[in-house]
Amino acid sequence: MVPQNCLREYSTFWSVSTKTLQGKPPPFCRQHGKEPSDINKALLAKRKRLEMYTKASLKTSNQKIELVWKTQQEHRQKINHEYSQQFLHIFQQWDADIQKAEEQEEKLANMLRQQQKVFQQARIVQSQRLKTIKQLYEQFLKVNMEDMEKNHESLLAGAQSELRKEMAMLQKKIMMDTQQQEMATVRKSLQSMLF
């Protein structure tokens, strides 16, 4: 559509022209000897033709402007639609990426919680194992010390018994050797005395 201020300017121009033509004829009309009514008719006819041409021109201009505006509007709508589709696609991808990231974050959080549970259970098991090892070591030391003491006592007693036996046998042997030596000495003495 043609702006209203343009129509106001055209209407103002024609009203001024009409007012100028009404009343006395211009000086050149009187000089050429024409009647003012004939001149007024001619001017009115020209004015009507000019108004008709102006209306036709305005109509054509309006149609062209409307066509240009419509074309621009369609072009803008097309561009807006294309870019809105592209933005929508990108935002959908963005939302999908955010959702995937949240899912991965949740998975990692679950894995960390599971790992913490595993570590806690491992600590409990390790502490139980260490406790068991300590108990076994204490039992081992206690049993070994008692056994070692008992074995040491029995070994010592056995060694002392063997030593006593050996001492007795050695003493007996020494006595027998001494007796034999004495007997031999007596024999020699007797032989020397007799012979």
Side-chain angles (χ1 to χ4, degrees):
M1 297 296 293
V2 178
Q4 293 295 323
N5 58 355
C6 293
L7 292 175
R8 277 194 226 101
E9 288 176 4
Y10 279 116
S11 61
T12 305
F13 170 76
W14 289 116
S15 65
V16 170
S17 300
T18 306
K19 287 177 183 178
T20 304
L21 292 174
Q22 290 174 355
K24 293 182 180 181
F28 72 90
C29 295
R30 289 192 296 270
Q31 290 174 3
H32 292 287
K34 293 184 179 180
E35 291 294 326
S37 62
D38 294 337
I39 293 172
N40 284 337
K41 287 178 183 178
L43 287 174
L44 285 173
K46 285 183 180 180
R47 191 184 82 171
K48 285 181 181 179
R49 283 197 303 272
L50 189 58
E51 284 179 356
M52 185 178 66
Y53 293 151
T54 303
K55 286 180 181 178
S57 177
L58 285 174
K59 186 177 180 182
T60 306
S61 297
N62 280 337
Q63 289 175 351
K64 288 181 180 178
I65 290 170
E66 286 178 359
L67 181 63
V68 169
W69 283 357
K70 187 176 180 181
T71 305
Q72 288 179 350
Q73 188 176 7
E74 289 176 354
H75 185 64
R76 280 195 299 270
Q77 287 177 351
K78 184 180 178 181
I79 291 174
N80 287 338
H81 180 70
E82 290 177 357
Y83 278 96
S84 64
Q85 289 297 319
Q86 291 179 11
F87 278 120
L88 180 63
H89 182 64
I90 290 171
F91 284 135
Q92 286 174 349
Q93 288 180 341
W94 195 359
D95 289 337
D97 291 339
I98 289 172
Q99 189 174 359
K100 286 181 182 177
E102 289 176 351
E103 290 175 357
Q104 291 295 327
E105 186 178 355
E106 185 65 25
K107 286 181 181 177
L108 286 173
N110 290 332
M111 287 175 64
L112 285 173
R113 284 193 288 270
Q114 290 177 357
Q115 286 291 93
Q116 286 177 350
K117 287 180 181 178
V118 169
F119 287 145
Q120 288 175 354
Q121 290 175 355
R123 283 197 196 103
I124 293 169
V125 171
Q126 286 177 356
S127 64
Q128 289 176 350
R129 296 280 188 273
L130 287 172
K131 189 175 180 181
T132 305
I133 289 170
K134 185 178 179 182
Q135 289 175 352
L136 286 173
Y137 180 68
E138 289 174 354
Q139 289 177 2
F140 172 75
L141 287 179
K142 185 177 180 183
V143 169
N144 273 353
M145 289 300 290
E146 289 176 356
D147 288 344
M148 285 174 67
E149 286 177 2
K150 288 178 181 178
N151 289 334
H152 182 67
E153 288 176 0
S154 63
L155 287 172
L156 185 60
Q160 287 176 351
S161 175
E162 290 290 330
L163 184 60
R164 285 192 194 100
K165 288 179 182 178
E166 288 180 3
M167 290 292 289
M169 287 176 64
L170 183 61
Q171 189 176 8
K172 188 177 179 180
K173 186 176 180 183
I174 290 170
M175 287 177 68
M176 286 177 65
D177 287 342
T178 303
Q179 286 177 358
Q180 286 178 0
Q181 285 178 1
E182 286 178 359
M183 290 292 292
T185 303
V186 169
R187 274 194 207 114
K188 284 181 182 179
S189 296
L190 285 173
Q191 285 178 1
S192 63
M193 287 174 64
L194 292 174
F195 300 108

